[in-house]
Amino acid sequence: MSLTVPPTLLEQAQQGTIKEEDFLACIQTSLPYAWSVVAGTAEKLNANGGAVEVNEDVPQTDAEWGQLFRLMASDSMRAAVERKFGVKLAFQNCCKVGAFAPDATSEYEEFTSMRAQVLNQKPELLNC
């Protein structure tokens, strides 16, 4: 399961409207490793004022891999986290998370390009 949904959030969903802060709290609680990677990367980007910040830390456990996959693969979770931190996120090679300033279009396009994906292939990540 991707998220451990508290009864109050489930009730909100059943009634038709979810508060984004409650959804974000659910993500943060359910996927703490993934949250820490994305939050840390976004905070570094915002602190240094650059166009892009990339986290290349390799998850140490299957659970950490799974959390990162779930957060980055979910359009709704990724979009909520992007809004929270004011960044655009991208994902490459199962563990390389990029946070981009909203106006960093060329950097985002390069990171998400076929060329970048091919150049990022590493033998040690064969099973990721």
Side-chain angles (χ1 to χ4, degrees):
M1 184 170 7
S2 293
L3 298 174
T4 303
V5 179
T8 55
L9 186 57
L10 179 59
E11 187 176 307
Q12 285 179 33
Q14 290 169 337
Q15 293 175 0
T17 303
I18 291 178
K19 295 177 188 169
E20 187 161 83
E21 63 269 15
D22 294 340
F23 184 53
L24 288 165
C26 180
I27 296 167
Q28 184 175 10
T29 301
S30 299
L31 306 172
Y33 174 78
W35 182 272
S36 71
V37 169
V38 170
T41 306
E43 288 165 3
K44 284 179 186 175
L45 173 69
N46 291 328
N48 71 27
V52 61
E53 184 70 36
V54 177
N55 180 304
E56 296 188 55
D57 295 340
V58 177
Q60 298 301 302
T61 67
D62 287 345
E64 290 174 348
W65 285 102
Q67 286 186 29
L68 203 51
F69 292 154
R70 286 192 287 282
L71 176 57
M72 296 305 291
S74 167
D75 291 340
S76 62
M77 286 193 279
R78 192 178 60 251
V81 171
E82 287 175 336
R83 286 189 296 274
K84 163 129 180 89
F85 293 108
V87 300
K88 177 74 175 155
L89 296 172
F91 193 47
Q92 188 182 83
N93 248 36
C94 307
C95 62
K96 190 173 185 179
V97 175
F100 299 83
D103 61 349
T105 305
S106 63
E107 293 87 346
Y108 176 82
E109 289 173 354
E110 172 56 30
F111 185 86
T112 60
S113 72
M114 294 179 285
R115 176 182 175 274
Q117 181 65 48
V118 169
L119 291 173
N120 192 49
Q121 298 307 293
K122 299 175 185 171
E124 65 270 21
L125 297 177
L126 183 63
N127 293 323
C128 69

